[in-house]
Structures are given as C-alpha cells and as structure tokens.
C-alpha cells in the first residue's frame, strides 16, 4: 500500500513542473474508470496505451490458470465533431505461458462511441450518452458474439465551477454493464475533478465506480503528451500515456466553461 501511494506521489511531482480532458483507459474522455459528459476538443486525435491492474479488469476473460493478471491496452481515438467521440481499443490477453513466462498474447478489440446532445451552459450541465465495446472480433462456430467483456452503456451529466482561477468539475452518471460478471460497476457512479489556477493543464480526480474508490492525477505537457496515474482503493496502481494532436490546428490551455 505504501509503495503504490509513493509511486502516485512521485507521478504528481513529475507532472507539476509543466485544455485538458481526462484520459480514460478506452481513449475517450471521462475520469479514470467512469464516464463523464466532457468531450475532447473538436479535431483531437489520440493514440496511447494504459497499464491496467488486474483489479480494474472483468472477472472473466482475463484469467489464466485460475488467476486474474495485470495487463495493458492501447487505443486510437478521434473527436470529429464537438458532440461526438469515437475510439478503438485493443486489450491484451494471455493465451499461453511456460512457467512464469508469457509465450503468447491475443487481443480483445472493441469500439466505443460517445455523443453529447446537451452542451454545458451557465446553469445547465453537459449531458452525454455512450457505449463501450459495441463490437468484437471473436465469434464462435455459429458466428455468435461470445466476448463483449467491456460492454456497457451510460448517461452522464457534468458541470464545472470556477473560483479564483481554479476549476472544479462534478460528474454524476448512470451506467449499466451487460455482462453479469461486471454487475459490481452498475448503477449510479460519480466523481469530482480539480484544476488549480497555477497549473490549468493538470487536474486531480476522485471517483466512485459503484464498487470502489479511485484517486488520480493527469496532465497535458508540451501540448501533446498526456499522462495519467491513479490508484484503486489506495493500493492498486494504473497508469497511461498518449500523444494528442488537434487535426484542425487548434491551440488551447483550458476550456471556457
């Protein structure tokens, strides 16, 4: 526990010496493990990867010899319009091992889509709906889909509040996973973010996933390098990195909420 807390503290220190959206492990905007009604900027393209502790994974599909394992994913995400986000994610799965050495990996592939019909206003929160794992590459002999490990749909509302140059974001969402082994994450979820006035390119995050609490930090450095680190239940470390570019040439430091 102390070791992972120290690693997160080191990550925070590394980020502080440098417009931000959270980097979910799917590549879409959100907090850490929960969705939000925020969106990346129109024209944003992201390519990156995430280290995923076994405690972030579904309780099936990512088990070998009766044990869950840590893994990683990588993704490509695009925001073609200010109200639409798309991403494609590959999560690595162990196929075979020899002793403690992994000899073969396979991939679980899926797409995500997020739509924001209501933009945030002075008194109105942004509202978004979305779905993860809407497609898969694995079928049985009858061409029936047999995976969809991450399949879920959600509706989320997010409102930001500014004071003394700082910014606080509040998110409340309802999410439903369609596989019983993910039911622990069903229901109402929520989180809070904080971006300090002295470092608007970074933010702290705290969230409740329906089953556990996560704390995290993220930052956008040198306009293109996005980093995120988090701990689940103060013990299990997750971390991600990606490159972000705006295909329309936009430059930004913080969103005008």
């Amino acid at each position: 526990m102390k070791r992972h807390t120290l690693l997160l503290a080191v990550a925070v220190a590394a980020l502080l010496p440098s417009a931000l959206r959270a980097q979910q492990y799917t590549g879409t905007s959100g907090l850490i493990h929960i969705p939000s009604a925020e969106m990346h900027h129109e024209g944003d393209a992201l390519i990156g990867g995430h280290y995923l502790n076994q405690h972030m994974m579904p309780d099936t599909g990512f088990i070998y010899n009766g044990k869950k394992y840590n893994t990683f994913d990588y993704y490509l995400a695009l925001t073609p319009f200010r109200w639409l986000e798309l991403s494609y994610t590959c999560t690595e799965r162990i196929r075979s091992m020899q002793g403690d050495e992994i000899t073969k990996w396979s991939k679980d592939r899926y797409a995500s889509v997020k739509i924001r019909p209501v933009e945030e206003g002075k008194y109105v929160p942004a509202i978004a709906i979305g779905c993860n794992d809407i497609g898969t590459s694995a079928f049985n002999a009858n061409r029936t889909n047999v995976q969809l490990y991450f399949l879920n749909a959600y509706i989320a509302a997010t409102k930001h509040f500014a004071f003394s140059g700082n910014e606080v974001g509040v998110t409340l969402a309802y999410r439903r996973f369609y596989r019983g082994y993910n039911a622990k994450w069903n229901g109402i979820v929520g989180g809070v973010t904080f971006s300090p006035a002295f470092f608007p390119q970074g933010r702290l995050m705290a969230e409740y996933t329906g089953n556990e609490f996560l704390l995290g930090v993220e930052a956008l450095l040198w306009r293109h390098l996005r980093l995120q680190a988090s701990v689940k239940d103060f013990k299990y470390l997750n971390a991600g990195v990606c490159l972000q570019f705006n295909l329309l040439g936009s430059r930004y430091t913080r969103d005008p909420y």
Side-chain angles (χ1 to χ4, degrees):
M1 175 176 174
K2 291 182 179 179
R3 180 168 61 91
H4 291 310
T5 302
L6 178 61
L7 287 173
L8 181 60
V10 171
V12 174
L15 296 178
L16 287 178
S18 77
L20 189 69
R21 290 282 189 267
Q23 176 194 348
Q24 275 189 300
Y25 61 93
T26 62
T28 56
S29 58
L31 275 72
I32 305 166
H33 193 262
I34 71 168
S36 74
E38 298 167 321
M39 303 284 279
H40 292 299
H41 291 265
E42 182 176 22
D44 276 357
L46 294 84
I47 181 169
H50 219 89
Y51 166 76
L52 298 167
N53 190 281
Q54 59 182 292
H55 298 277
M56 288 277 284
M57 305 305 294
D59 290 332
T60 192
F62 296 86
I63 297 175
Y64 193 84
N65 288 338
K67 296 181 180 180
K68 293 179 70 174
Y69 50 84
N70 304 328
T71 186
F72 63 95
D73 69 13
Y74 44 95
Y75 56 80
L76 176 65
L78 179 66
T79 307
F81 307 105
R82 58 194 299 177
W83 49 268
L84 176 65
E85 283 185 358
L86 305 170
S87 72
Y88 185 73
T89 307
C90 294
T91 307
E92 293 292 326
R93 298 177 61 204
I94 294 177
R95 287 291 298 274
S96 62
M97 297 183 68
Q98 184 173 358
D100 293 330
E101 182 180 350
I102 300 173
T103 57
K104 188 174 182 180
W105 291 91
S106 64
K107 297 176 177 61
D108 178 75
R109 303 177 178 90
Y110 65 90
S112 301
V113 61
K114 180 178 180 181
I115 299 172
R116 184 177 62 185
V118 179
E119 292 191 19
E120 183 173 349
K122 184 175 182 179
Y123 302 107
V124 179
I127 297 175
I129 56 176
C131 183
N132 296 315
D133 207 348
I134 57 177
T136 182
S137 60
F139 296 86
N140 62 16
N142 297 321
R143 304 298 293 172
T144 302
N145 195 311
V146 294
Q147 289 191 352
L148 300 176
Y149 296 120
F150 302 95
L151 177 61
N152 71 90
Y154 60 85
I155 181 170
T158 300
K159 187 75 179 74
H160 294 85
F161 304 91
F163 63 97
S164 302
N166 304 296
E167 180 182 276
V168 173
V170 180
T171 291
L172 189 65
Y174 178 82
R175 178 173 59 182
R176 182 189 174 192
F177 281 83
Y178 287 84
R179 297 302 199 201
Y181 45 75
N182 291 327
K184 61 186 178 182
W185 293 316
N186 285 348
I188 296 176
V189 299
V192 178
T193 63
F194 174 73
S195 294
F198 66 87
F199 186 56
Q201 298 89 353
R203 77 176 169 179
L204 304 175
M205 300 170 289
E207 68 178 30
Y208 177 64
T209 68
N211 186 66
E212 62 268 317
F213 290 95
L214 284 90
L215 298 176
V217 60
E218 63 176 3
L220 179 64
L221 308 179
W222 305 295
R223 294 178 54 203
H224 300 299
L225 180 64
R226 184 186 294 271
L227 305 175
Q228 185 186 92
S230 66
V231 287
K232 175 181 176 291
D233 288 339
F234 303 99
K235 293 186 290 185
Y236 307 113
L237 178 68
N238 304 280
V241 58
C242 80
L243 292 176
Q244 173 178 325
F245 299 91
N246 189 279
L247 303 181
L248 302 179
S250 298
R251 300 183 64 177
Y252 41 79
T253 55
R254 174 177 282 179
D255 297 307
Y257 294 114

